[in-house]
Amino acid sequence: MADCLFCKIIAGEIPSTKVYEDELVFAFRDIAPQAPTHILVIPKAHISGCNGVTPDNSAVVAHIFEVIPQIAAAEGLTGGYRVVSNCGDDAGQTVHHLHFHILGGKKLTLEMA
Ligand code: AMP
Ligand code: ZN
């Protein structure tokens, strides 16, 4: 998607701090971290968000959830972590490319999103 911020990050047109990449998935540090560790995990294929997941593209979501524990382990999040995906305006979704926040590195409150 030409006007998608995260597609531009995947393409290297906008710089990011990459923590993981494979043929399907890209992960990078959030520019405005809400916790000591705050990483975004995204599919390389553009999906608008949770509502854009279909039987045709849902395999990448399973793959993302295989990758997330690997990233958490590499980041040393042995005490646990939170995975969040904001879907739509009421949830505060600001980038309309499916992404999963990994938050950790401290005791998280319920307000933490
Ligand atoms: P959401 O509000 O759930 O749509 O999450 C979007 C996230 O993208 C926010 O946590 C932003 O801080 C993060 N973000 C926006 N622009 C960038 C960027 N250029 N590099 C890294 N993270 C970004
Ligand atoms: Zn995109």
Side-chain angles (χ1 to χ4, degrees), residues 5-92:
L5 173 67
F6 286 176
C7 283
K8 288 179 179 171
I9 284 177
I10 292 163
E13 295 167 14
I14 292 174
S16 68
T17 305
K18 181 173 76 174
V19 298
Y20 177 89
E21 181 176 14
D22 65 27
E23 68 279 7
L24 297 174
V25 167
F26 193 83
F28 55 102
R29 295 195 189 282
D30 196 291
I31 203 167
Q34 303 298 305
T37 299
H38 188 171
I39 291 165
L40 300 172
V41 188
I42 65 178
K44 285 188 171 175
H46 181 88
I47 299 173
S48 61
C50 295
N51 288 346
V53 177
T54 70
D56 285 340
N57 65 23
S58 62
V60 73
V61 179
H63 182 63
I64 283 171
F65 274 86
E66 292 172 8
V67 164
I68 283 171
Q70 297 175 33
I71 294 173
E75 292 288 319
L77 300 179
T78 54
Y81 57 92
R82 182 170 295 160
V83 180
V84 173
S85 188
N86 295 316
C87 186
D89 291 343
D90 284 0

